[in-house]
Amino acid sequence: SSGINAEWPLRPGVMLKVLHMTFPRFAERGEGGVFQQQDANECWTEIMRMMSEYLPGEGSTNTETVRKSYIEQYFGGENVTTMKCSETEAEPETKSIEKWTQLRCHINTDVRYMQVGLTMGLKENIEKTSATLERNAVYVKTSNVNRLPSYLTINFIRFFYKEKENINAKVLKDIKFPMEYDAFELCTPELQTKITPARDRFEALRMKKIEIELSGDVKNKKNEKKKEDKEVNYEPCSFSDDLGSSNSGYYELQAVLTHQGRSSSSGHYVAWVKHTEDNWIKCDDEKLSIVKEEDILKLSGGGDWHVAYTLLYGPKRLEIWEDEKKEEDKKEEDKKEEAVPEMEKME
């Protein structure tokens, strides 16, 4: 509002009160009257679920793929899932669509990189009742992404229950994550085909920049410098008929939620948020400080330092170069000129 000074700190007191009223377990207090430690990803999931109920989707209701909520549009993905009983060939394979607002990165002794953990989560064995065998049986569940959202949330499965100690212990293993992520391998063949045109345009721009750099083209380099000094135009990052989707599968890391400690019931959570191309903001309770990209890459785990628990990736945006923009503007002008004679005929 106009009455708020942009430099004043904003205290999220109202939001915290509503959160405690809506989810009483997040308001539980321990010894000394302080709030008990809660799982931050559970809190994130509940907030997203509530926002999904109350924030309506954007766009025209005439659009075939309009979605009912803003969260579903911009944070929601879909998987095509097949289920096959591994104990009998008599039972046919079944297919279904599963919706999600975050992907899970599974961790075991073989996983050292986020991509491996994500891929592992797309195939799993589950036990359920078989109508054919009339008993419990093992099924192989295989999933592939057929809708990517603009904003991709990834949760590292770092906590597991230790029955002997009766605690949710933490996996401290170092799992590398990228500053830029390509989700192409997770997708169905149909979605891979659909996102290829935008990916080709990214590649064409990359090659163009390399060509300018290698050619020593002074004029183009000056134009590039001018571009840096003024507002850059970008292509849409969603499909025209699916607002909030990703039309390329390319992402850039925007935020990291870390946990420091040995169990989910203790320790400390910190948020790290991208501010500019070079600078990130470390949000440690009320203390804010500037950190660099190299500090973010150190959050991959391997010790008692802050360890990445949840990542938020945003869309990688494709610049529109000046000559391309002029060409697009010319096409728009030509369309308008073509439309005038048609209107005159109608009159």
Side-chain angles (χ1 to χ4, degrees):
S1 97
S2 57
I4 295 178
N5 188 326
E7 295 180 1
W8 292 351
L10 295 175
R11 301 180 185 276
V14 174
M15 180 181 174
L16 187 62
K17 250 182 207 177
V18 173
L19 178 72
H20 288 168
M21 287 169 58
T22 310
F23 308 108
R25 75 174 180 278
F26 293 126
E28 292 173 357
R29 296 177 183 268
E31 293 178 12
V34 297
F35 289 116
Q36 287 186 346
Q37 177 83 324
Q38 302 290 341
D39 187 295
N41 187 257
E42 285 182 16
C43 184
W44 167 269
T45 302
E46 294 290 7
I47 290 173
M48 295 291 277
R49 185 175 63 80
M50 291 300 293
M51 289 173 68
S52 182
E53 289 182 21
Y54 292 101
L55 287 179
E58 295 180 334
S60 168
T61 51
N62 296 326
T63 304
E64 231 177 83
T65 52
V66 71
R67 295 170 192 276
K68 64 179 183 180
S69 83
Y70 185 91
I71 299 301
E72 189 181 352
Q73 280 182 323
Y74 286 92
F75 293 85
E78 290 179 2
N79 286 353
V80 173
T81 298
T82 61
M83 197 84 75
K84 176 64 180 170
C85 182
S86 60
E87 298 183 30
T88 177
E89 290 297 323
E91 189 168 323
E93 181 180 86
T94 59
K95 284 192 175 184
S96 61
I97 299 292
E98 289 188 352
K99 296 185 177 184
W100 48 265
T101 53
Q102 63 179 4
L103 292 177
R104 294 184 172 187
C105 178
H106 292 258
I107 301 173
N108 65 19
T109 53
D110 299 322
V111 176
R112 294 174 56 199
Y113 298 94
M114 183 183 82
Q115 179 65 27
V116 178
L118 289 173
T119 304
M120 188 192 307
L122 295 179
K123 190 170 185 177
E124 58 183 327
N125 291 336
I126 64 169
E127 188 175 316
K128 70 185 192 80
T129 303
S130 166
T132 305
L133 300 175
E134 297 183 340
R135 61 172 173 80
N136 278 2
V138 175
Y139 286 75
V140 177
K141 180 182 177 183
T142 307
S143 302
N144 288 100
V145 178
N146 76 330
R147 199 250 183 193
L148 284 167
S150 290
Y151 292 88
L152 181 64
T153 307
I154 296 174
N155 174 229
F156 288 76
I157 309 302
R158 288 203 173 271
F159 295 108
F160 67 99
Y161 182 66
K162 268 190 174 180
E163 192 171 350
K164 189 176 179 182
E165 289 88 350
N166 192 29
I167 59 167
N168 276 325
K170 182 177 171 185
V171 180
L172 298 171
K173 188 177 179 181
D174 184 356
I175 307 295
K176 303 294 184 190
F177 57 85
M179 301 303 289
E180 292 190 359
Y181 178 60
D182 180 2
F184 188 81
E185 289 182 19
L186 306 180
C187 302
T188 60
E190 293 78 14
L191 183 55
Q192 288 179 342
T193 300
K194 194 176 177 183
I195 63 179
T196 294
R199 296 167 68 84
D200 288 344
R201 294 195 294 276
F202 269 105
E203 180 61 16
L205 180 60
R206 187 181 74 86
M207 294 305 294
K208 188 171 185 178
K209 287 183 175 181
I210 291 173
E211 188 181 329
I212 291 170
E213 196 63 37
L214 293 177
S215 67
D217 190 327
V218 177
K219 184 181 175 183
N220 267 319
K221 283 185 178 179
K222 283 182 179 176
N223 289 339
E224 184 69 11
K225 176 61 182 166
K226 284 179 184 176
K227 272 178 63 185
E228 291 174 8
D229 297 335
K230 65 180 183 180
E231 187 177 347
V232 181
N233 293 301
Y234 295 97
E235 281 195 20
C237 54
S238 299
F239 292 112
S240 59
D241 64 346
D242 189 3
L243 187 64
S245 63
S246 168
N247 62 6
S248 70
Y250 289 136
Y251 293 92
E252 293 181 341
L253 189 62
Q254 299 294 323
V256 181
L257 174 67
T258 60
H259 178 266
Q260 187 177 27
R262 292 278 174 154
S263 78
S264 62
S265 57
S266 63
H268 185 55
Y269 287 105
V270 172
W272 314 67
V273 182
K274 189 173 183 178
H275 180 52
T276 64
E277 197 59 40
D278 302 315
N279 294 328
W280 286 64
I281 299 176
K282 178 184 177 183
C283 307
D284 186 356
D285 291 338
E286 75 280 3
K287 299 185 289 291
L288 304 182
S289 56
I290 299 292
V291 297
K292 298 295 182 182
E293 184 177 298
E294 60 200 56
D295 298 304
I296 303 303
L297 291 171
K298 291 176 184 174
L299 304 174
S300 57
D304 285 323
W305 182 240
H306 301 277
V307 177
Y309 184 35
T310 301
L311 307 181
L312 179 62
Y313 284 92
K316 184 176 181 180
R317 304 178 71 193
L318 181 61
E319 302 167 36
I320 299 177
W321 279 45
E322 203 60 41
D323 52 350
E324 292 169 352
K325 189 171 187 307
K326 285 177 183 175
E327 191 177 326
E328 285 186 8
D329 291 343
K330 187 177 182 305
K331 283 180 183 176
E332 286 297 317
E333 285 298 321
D334 291 343
K335 281 181 185 177
K336 287 177 184 176
E337 288 176 10
E338 287 171 10
V340 170
E342 291 296 323
M343 289 178 69
E344 288 174 350
K345 283 179 189 176
M346 290 172 67
E347 291 173 0

